[in-house]
Amino acid sequence: MPGTFEPLPGGGAAVALDDVEISIIRSLAVQLMELIGPGPAEEASGDPLAELFTEGPSEPPSDPVLRRLFPDAYSDPEATPQGKEAEEQRAYSAEFRRYTENDLRAAKRDNALTVIRSLDALASEDEGGAVLKLSPDESQKWLGALNDLRLAIGSRLEINDEDDSDLLFHLPDEDPRKPMVMAYLWLGGLQETLVSTLMP
């Protein structure tokens, strides 16, 4: 089981992680939460109903990682609309973002927080590692968080398709991007095995 998720009887998944792997995943999840930022209710006056009446942003984020995590709903990267069509596309995207981005951010924060809490609750069974056991709900949240972490790292590495990641895999060890590439590929392996545990 080392390094790969396996299904648990009755649902959920388990993976053996060493202390370094636990530290890496936790650190990346914390950084993801910091990047996503606080929710509107946390930024507001402390009114518990504030989030219900707070609209999200209408413009795409300036950070390329956040643009990857919260893409425009009505844009087609293959097409370059002009004139009125481009204006309509921007208007539809702004409207969609205004009413959905806060919920998307909250869901992504919740997924990352689930990762952090489950790792913090992990008691080492022996020196150097432990077996993480996730419920079916936690497995889904982990899957979402692993996907977001890979998108974030892929964006920083400017990976747009599988060919890019294959090229980066062969970087020399002294290349400063190498640790990020290895984390990207490792998280991809974890994500793939977690998906397989969730399939019927």
Side-chain angles (χ1 to χ4, degrees), residues 161-168:
D161 57 38
E162 223 34 62
D163 291 340
D164 292 339
S165 62
D166 288 343
L167 290 172
L168 288 169

Side-chain angles (χ1 to χ4, degrees), residues 77-115:
E78 304 294 318
T80 51
Q82 303 293 319
K84 186 175 181 187
E85 185 184 352
E87 274 182 47
E88 286 178 351
Q89 197 176 81
R90 279 192 295 274
Y92 293 147
S93 289
E95 193 75 0
F96 185 82
R97 187 177 293 281
R98 183 177 296 120
Y99 294 111
T100 61
E101 188 167 311
N102 285 342
D103 288 341
L104 289 173
R105 282 180 182 261
K108 289 179 185 299
R109 274 193 306 276
D110 185 48
N111 291 344
L113 192 56
T114 296
V115 168

Side-chain angles (χ1 to χ4, degrees), residues 50-78:
E51 192 170 359
L52 295 175
F53 301 104
T54 304
E55 291 184 356
S58 58
E59 294 298 317
S62 57
D63 185 299
V65 173
L66 290 175
R67 273 200 309 272
R68 192 89 169 263
L69 292 173
F70 305 104
D72 272 338
Y74 293 93
S75 68
D76 180 359
E78 304 294 318

